[in-house]
Amino acid sequence: MKHFFKFYIPLIFFIFLLFNSGLSGSDANATIQGQITDTGTKEPLPSVNVMVVHTNIGVATDINGHYCLTNISPGRIHLVASMIGYKKKNKTITLEPEQNISVNFELESTILEMGAVVVTGTATPHLIEDMPVRTEVIPRKLIERKQAANLAEALSFHTGIRVENNCQNCNFSQVRILGMDGKYSQILIDGDPVVSSLAGVYGLEHFPDEMIDQIEIVKGGGSSLYGGGAVAGVINMITRRPMSNQVRIKYLGHSTNGKFDQHVGAVAETVNKTGSSGAYVFGSFRKRNPIDQNMDGYSELGELNNESMGFKWYYKPLENSELLTAFHRIHEERRGGNKFKLPVHEAEIAEWIEHWRSGGTLRWKHRPNPLFDYRLYYSFSEENRKSYYGGLDSNSPEDRLNALSFYGRAENPLHITGFQTNYQLSGQLLTAGLQYTYDKIRDETAAETAYHLDEVYRNTGLFLQDNLHFGPNEEIEFVLGVRFDKHSELTNWIISPRINMKFDIEKDFILRCAYTTGFKPPQTYDEDLHLCGIEGDQRIIRNAPDLKEEKSYTLSAGFEYRGYLNRIPAMASITVFRTRLNDSFTEQFVSKTGSIEKWERLNSEGAEVKGVELDMGIRPIPEIELRGGFTCQISRYDSPHEDFHTKDFLRTPDLTANLRFNASPSNRIDCYILGNYIGNAYVPHEVIVKEREEPELRLERSDRFFHIDIGIIYRLPLNNGLNSKVSLGIKNITNAFQKDLDQGPDRDPAYVYGPARPRTLYFGLETAF
């Protein structure tokens, strides 16, 4: 804890100086209030964001559509009201000192993702259409249409994003942004990088959908804001916030080949009459039976049990201030292999993992005057894991004793603390912040010391950012940023600059360009904490002694249209990108000793990823919306992989695409079709050869897949404040699933690709009151 005290003393002193300087603002500030309604129904709209353009000032409407902005500087003010699924509305007003003015809005519905307010690209709130850093959003309504049970499923069917299963036994998964490995993606929770290396192994399935409000995605290097790890991009899971007084209970059941996967969740939220305090609590339970798709006696989808609970509470003791705290506790047990009714050490193959995760945050934010705001925060996660990666070769006393040595235990406490300030200065928004991270990993097994890890990583990051506007109508916007990181595994400071530009060519037409950077320090990553078993043998990955940090440099440019074609809402965007990786990480087979197969992470000469991404959407009539997109890319190392003799990125298709169709013939019925195309890729394959010590390494060419989900949601006509909806459908109706799976105890569990689940029926019921 001494490291936190060293950090907090100068932090508190610095904030004290800023706070006192901020209080010197004008005392003659004005107030804006009003109500926002739907143009068609005239009903009030809750959760609408009302913001002062090019500032950090904003508020959301309450359950009755009312809002109130206080402490606003007098003068000419540009207001914007926006909400997901609605066209933004702008109004310009002139405020006199101490004036209290009423400004009402009526909003018109449009394409689903329009109108969202996002923060990930700049760490300050922007309307998604106006964000200078291209940011994509997966809203809550779309997550519900996908019938997603967790974060991994919520990320599906999105252009340039692919979640893949990397192990037949334990179903270790990772998310790829623009084809790059999961270790290149930074996962955030409410803007904080608290998904640690250990949590990253299975964490995508840990977080239930009851936690998630929306997901924000920024592609390309993000280390200038978020430090090491943000090479391919950033995924920010925004957790739910209490907005009303209600309780919701949900059941979601899946059936795959007669095996059930059931999820039950409940949430309750409450907000006081003045909106100065609110609380939100959730709980969920999930149970999945093991699924053996190829009927060889070994699971393709393992047994899973997950229980989660948590809360969020906020209180506003002062005007334009907020104290917020949140906490979650997750317990999950999963097992893959065979002989599920026996103890894991009596199975031929077993991968068993039991996790306990605790995480939370405490943050204070305050805007003393219209020009200045700041926030202090502390976030943590505590990940504990018991595991078994191994198997029983035979029933001999020696082998039965040896099977007990594959039990393990891991601990991973992670603490992050810091502050951020924003200052408005004549057309500029200046942002500065300081962040300290403490990450400890301890991983060991019962008998084999070759697996053991005991590492502590510390990182101090300082970031600066300037958001500038130019032109007679402020149609040109730049974001200039840089972050300085000192990582405990590196001697020198790492400097990560970036520059983003947005040019409003004319109404609804936007040009964006960016140069961004990222880096990854030489530390333990998620795949190092996943031991993949083959015939009872164990594959481990460790860093080479002279491993250097990996750096990325990304150039991107995109043209975007978001508007109306003869009153028909439409959007289209095309983005070209090129990422250069220097000293890129790669894995090389080293040796096999007994049951230990050792691989080593080392630096290659470099690599490059380049391509084009297209996204389109249209809503020809209010009841129908169509969205689609594709990513075409080339991902190559500078020199061939030593073991597989190819320059291609492994497990990375050059072409992926998605399609979403939604029809709502009435306010009670919602029908949808979701499609996903995965192109060919090169997949590594280890084959056990009898009477040979080392496995044969093969490079296979995967099949192409077209995965389609269909479903319907029906809202029941109930009364007295009781609302219910029923959902049913089929996931992967085409049954697009890998056909050349390995079989038996000699199988390579890492030889798995394509959709994670075969054809599955589902049924859901949700009630709110």
Side-chain angles (χ1 to χ4, degrees):
M1 294 300 293
K2 64 180 181 179
H3 304 286
F4 293 108
F5 288 116
K6 289 180 180 178
F7 180 75
Y8 267 120
I9 291 174
L11 185 153
I12 294 172
F13 177 71
F14 182 66
I15 289 296
F16 176 77
L17 294 178
L18 287 177
F19 178 77
N20 281 280
S21 67
L23 289 177
S24 61
S26 170
D27 293 328
N29 295 318
T31 298
I32 306 172
Q33 59 183 328
Q35 186 181 34
I36 302 179
T37 57
D38 184 288
T39 300
T41 66
K42 307 301 180 182
E43 293 291 325
L45 293 175
S47 305
V48 178
N49 296 286
V50 185
M51 302 176 63
V52 179
V53 176
H54 299 324
T55 74
N56 211 25
I57 300 173
V59 70
T61 57
D62 62 19
I63 191 68
N64 297 311
H66 292 117
Y67 74 94
C68 183
L69 291 166
T70 61
N71 205 11
I72 308 299
S73 295
R76 190 175 176 84
I77 299 296
H78 301 282
L79 283 180
V80 59
S82 69
M83 182 180 181
I84 290 180
Y86 283 83
K87 182 183 179 182
K88 70 176 181 179
K89 194 73 172 289
N90 293 278
K91 288 191 177 182
T92 300
I93 60 174
T94 300
L95 290 177
E96 302 294 333
E98 300 184 356
Q99 183 181 10
N100 189 327
I101 189 172
S102 179
V103 180
N104 298 322
F105 292 87
E106 288 189 349
L107 299 186
E108 181 181 355
S109 63
T110 184
I111 288 178
L112 183 59
E113 285 85 346
M114 289 186 182
V117 171
V118 294
V119 297
T120 308
T122 60
T124 54
H126 283 75
L127 187 64
I128 189 169
E129 295 96 314
D130 300 332
M131 172 63 85
V133 180
R134 185 170 187 262
T135 304
E136 301 166 38
V137 64
I138 303 176
R140 179 67 203 172
K141 190 171 184 179
L142 182 55
I143 295 172
E144 292 174 354
R145 285 178 184 168
K146 295 177 182 179
Q147 301 298 317
N150 50 49
L151 176 60
E153 296 178 4
L155 288 167
S156 61
F157 301 103
H158 193 86
T159 305
I161 302 294
R162 188 163 63 89
V163 178
E164 65 179 22
N165 175 14
N166 289 139
C167 181
Q168 279 180 274
N169 291 332
C170 67
N171 310 130
F172 154 54
S173 61
Q174 64 172 321
V175 58
R176 291 177 178 264
I177 299 179
L178 299 178
M180 296 191 199
D181 277 349
K183 63 176 177 287
Y184 293 116
S185 303
Q186 184 94 340
I187 308 295
L188 311 175
I189 300 179
D190 292 324
D192 295 335
V194 287
V195 180
S196 62
S197 295
L198 183 58
V201 183
Y202 304 101
L204 291 175
E205 291 190 284
H206 281 178
F207 303 110
D209 85 297
E210 284 78 14
M211 285 183 67
I212 308 170
D213 183 47
Q214 73 177 28
I215 301 169
E216 299 175 11
I217 301 166
V218 177
K219 297 168 182 172
S223 291
S224 59
L225 265 183
Y226 299 107
V231 172
V234 172
I235 295 172
N236 190 7
M237 184 181 79
I238 308 298
T239 60
R240 289 191 181 185
R241 180 183 176 88
M243 297 299 298
S244 61
N245 296 292
Q246 68 171 342
V247 175
R248 294 188 299 276
I249 302 173
K250 183 183 76 172
Y251 168 82
L252 179 62
H254 295 84
S255 175
T256 306
N257 297 335
K259 303 295 184 179
F260 291 101
D261 180 354
Q262 302 181 87
H263 177 99
V264 178
V267 299
E269 54 184 319
T270 182
V271 178
N272 66 4
K273 291 182 179 180
T274 62
S276 62
S277 182
Y280 171 89
V281 296
F282 74 88
S284 71
F285 170 78
R286 183 186 180 194
K287 179 177 177 59
R288 182 179 70 196
N289 294 323
I291 298 170
D292 179 10
Q293 176 70 6
N294 61 359
M295 305 300 291
D296 66 340
Y298 295 81
S299 65
E300 272 66 60
L301 290 175
E303 184 178 48
L304 186 147
N305 292 279
N306 180 297
E307 304 99 28
S308 307
M309 58 80 63
F311 74 88
K312 178 182 283 187
W313 170 80
Y314 74 86
Y315 174 58
K316 300 178 179 180
L318 304 172
E319 187 177 64
N320 300 310
S321 70
E322 181 180 271
L323 175 67
L324 181 144
T325 183
F327 175 81
H328 63 265
R329 174 73 169 174
I330 298 172
H331 171 242
E332 185 189 88
E333 184 176 7
R334 61 173 63 205
R335 176 181 172 179
N338 72 333
K339 297 185 177 179
F340 288 89
K341 294 183 179 181
L342 297 178
V344 289
H345 58 265
E346 294 185 13
E348 278 83 12
I349 292 293
E351 293 190 21
W352 166 80
I353 310 97
E354 187 172 17
H355 281 93
W356 291 266
R357 174 188 169 88
S358 298
T361 188
L362 176 66
R363 59 183 66 188
W364 164 260
K365 65 179 182 180
H366 185 208
R367 180 166 60 87
N369 72 26
L371 303 180
F372 170 75
D373 66 88
Y374 68 93
R375 68 182 181 100
L376 300 165
Y377 62 90
Y378 163 72
S379 297
F380 79 96
S381 68
E382 180 79 28
E383 197 90 20
N384 293 282
R385 180 183 80 177
K386 291 181 179 179
S387 62
Y388 183 90
Y389 294 95
L392 185 64
D393 285 340
S394 70
N395 277 319
S396 69
E398 181 180 0
D399 284 341
R400 295 182 69 86
L401 182 62
N402 183 59
L404 296 174
S405 67
F406 296 124
Y407 282 99
R409 186 178 184 89
E411 299 173 352
N412 186 194
L414 172 65
H415 301 272
I416 298 174
T417 185
F419 73 90
Q420 178 182 318
T421 65
N422 301 292
Y423 188 75
Q424 191 78 29
L425 180 64
S426 59
Q428 301 180 63
L429 181 60
L430 303 174
T431 300
L434 185 64
Q435 185 179 81
Y436 175 80
T437 302
Y438 174 90
D439 187 2
K440 178 178 174 62
I441 299 176
R442 182 179 178 86
D443 187 27
E444 58 187 28
T445 60
E448 183 51 72
T449 59
Y451 305 140
H452 290 192
L453 283 170
D454 192 359
E455 304 285 351
V456 174
Y457 304 110
R458 299 180 178 89
N459 188 82
T460 300
L462 169 67
F463 62 91
L464 304 169
Q465 179 178 278
D466 191 4
N467 193 345
L468 309 94
H469 301 85
F470 300 98
N473 298 310
E474 298 185 327
E475 66 271 16
I476 301 175
E477 185 172 359
F478 281 92
V479 174
L480 309 175
V482 63
R483 175 162 167 149
F484 306 89
D485 281 278
K486 180 62 181 70
H487 194 277
S488 58
E489 294 296 294
L490 299 172
T491 303
N492 300 319
W493 285 75
I494 301 294
I495 302 175
S496 304
R498 77 160 175 180
I499 179 170
N500 297 82
M501 187 274 289
K502 180 175 78 76
F503 176 37
D504 294 327
I505 303 172
E506 58 179 76
K507 183 183 178 181
D508 301 326
F509 290 91
I510 297 173
L511 174 68
R512 288 188 177 91
C513 300
Y515 168 76
T516 59
T517 57
F519 80 95
K520 288 194 72 66
Q523 66 179 62
T524 299
Y525 292 107
D526 51 8
E527 63 263 43
D528 307 345
L529 299 165
H530 167 250
L531 303 179
C532 198
I534 305 177
E535 203 187 26
D537 296 335
Q538 302 299 312
R539 179 195 302 159
I540 63 173
I541 304 172
R542 294 295 180 261
N543 292 337
D546 57 347
L547 186 67
K548 298 184 294 184
E549 74 274 11
E550 181 178 20
K551 293 184 178 180
S552 73
Y553 308 90
T554 300
L555 287 169
S556 64
F559 177 80
E560 183 175 305
Y561 171 81
R562 289 176 183 262
Y564 284 73
L565 301 173
N566 194 23
R567 296 193 58 82
I568 295 176
M571 62 83 60
S573 68
I574 183 169
T575 303
V576 294
F577 57 90
R578 178 183 180 272
T579 296
R580 175 67 194 174
L581 298 174
N582 287 344
D583 298 315
S584 59
F585 296 158
T586 187
E587 285 86 38
Q588 178 178 308
F589 178 75
V590 177
S591 64
K592 180 181 178 184
T593 304
S595 62
I596 300 173
E597 183 183 303
K598 185 175 181 181
W599 290 65
E600 193 170 62
R601 178 180 295 110
L602 42 80
N603 296 110
S604 68
E605 294 180 12
E608 185 174 275
V609 178
K610 57 186 177 182
V612 60
E613 186 176 272
L614 177 69
D615 241 331
M616 295 182 293
I618 192 168
R619 192 179 180 190
I621 59 175
E623 295 80 15
I624 292 178
E625 181 175 333
L626 181 65
R627 287 291 303 270
F630 71 83
T631 302
C632 183
Q633 65 186 60
I634 300 174
S635 308
R636 304 288 186 268
Y637 291 105
D638 291 347
S639 57
H641 194 287
E642 185 167 329
D643 294 307
F644 297 106
H645 312 294
T646 179
K647 291 186 178 182
D648 293 274
F649 278 24
L650 303 181
R651 309 181 66 89
T652 305
D654 289 341
L655 179 64
T656 58
N658 71 86
L659 178 69
R660 303 202 314 261
F661 172 82
N662 183 78
S664 302
S666 74
N667 58 4
R668 291 182 181 175
I669 300 176
D670 196 6
C671 308
Y672 51 88
I673 300 174
L674 307 172
N676 187 36
Y677 172 82
I678 304 172
N680 301 111
Y682 288 108
V683 182
H685 188 190
E686 293 190 33
V687 179
I688 297 296
V689 180
K690 297 300 182 183
E691 300 181 358
R692 276 183 53 178
E693 182 68 20
E694 297 180 355
E696 178 184 345
L697 302 181
R698 298 178 182 174
L699 192 62
E700 312 283 4
R701 186 70 166 166
S702 73
D703 294 329
R704 295 187 294 265
F705 298 96
F706 191 52
H707 169 189
I708 298 176
D709 291 3
I710 62 171
I712 184 171
I713 298 174
Y714 180 73
R715 295 166 182 85
L716 300 175
L718 302 180
N719 298 315
N720 301 321
L722 182 64
N723 301 298
S724 292
K725 58 184 179 182
V726 176
S727 58
L728 56 90
I730 305 175
K731 294 186 176 181
N732 196 359
I733 192 172
T734 56
N735 203 27
F737 198 74
Q738 182 179 351
K739 293 181 172 58
D740 64 338
L741 291 162
D742 280 356
Q743 297 188 0
D746 294 349
R747 69 180 186 176
D748 177 3
Y751 182 60
V752 56
Y753 57 85
R757 191 197 298 257
R759 184 185 296 121
T760 299
L761 308 177
Y762 70 83
F763 168 81
L765 175 64
E766 181 176 329
T767 298
F769 54 90

